[in-house]
Every structure is written in structure tokens, then in C-alpha cells.
Amino acid sequence: MGLLTGLLTSPLAPMRAVVWVAQRISDKANEEYYDPAPVWAALGDLEGRLQRGEIDSDTFEAMEDELLDRLDEITRYRQQQQP
């Protein structure tokens, strides 16, 4: 970057910093949202609740379907992100 370019674009530096921070926040949010570990933990907890009799099989199946759909969503997202 030349001196003239640096001088002309220096007023944009704060905006570039804001955009950079926003991108890092977005990346972190996506990383957490598309992490399969909490979904797997929820599936394990759900099965435990069924075995302890805290929920009936209909409730278990409905909740399990939601969690499995979430895992499918995560898998599709991760496949799209691979180069």
C-alpha cells in the first residue's frame, strides 16, 4: 500500500476494524451454533430421561426427531463449508 493510498483510505480504518470484529463474532457464533456436541449430549440426556420414566415414548420420539433434524442441518452446513 502506497503512501497516497494509505492517506486516502485512513478515514476508513475504523470501519474496517468494525467489519473485522463483526466477522469474528459471526464466525464464532456459527462455530457454536453448528457444533454437534451439544446435540449429541441432548440425545443422550433424552434417552436417559426415557429410561428413568420421566418422559413417555411419544415425547421421546418427537424430541429425538427434532434433535436428529438438527444434526442433519449441522452435517449439511459442514459439508458446504469444506473446500
Side-chain angles (χ1 to χ4, degrees):
M1 182 179 342
L3 179 61
L4 183 59
T5 305
L7 289 173
L8 292 175
T9 60
S10 63
L12 300 176
M15 184 55 138
R16 285 193 298 256
V18 169
V19 170
W20 182 84
V21 169
Q23 185 61 48
R24 297 292 113 12
I25 291 170
S26 175
D27 292 345
K28 184 64 175 171
N30 279 337
E31 181 182 313
E32 289 180 15
Y33 183 74
Y34 291 107
D35 182 9
V39 181
W40 285 111
L43 280 168
D45 181 56
L46 186 62
E47 183 153 354
R49 291 176 61 196
L50 177 66
Q51 291 174 352
R52 290 188 300 271
E54 295 174 9
I55 57 174
D56 62 12
S57 62
D58 290 336
T59 303
F60 172 81
E61 288 178 16
M63 294 175 80
E64 181 186 41
D65 286 344
E66 289 178 18
L67 291 170
L68 292 176
D69 288 344
R70 181 76 181 107
L71 282 175
D72 287 342
E73 178 186 0
I74 291 169
T75 301
R76 284 191 307 274
Y77 174 81
R78 288 178 168 233
Q79 287 173 347
Q80 291 174 354
Q81 297 303 310
Q82 292 178 352

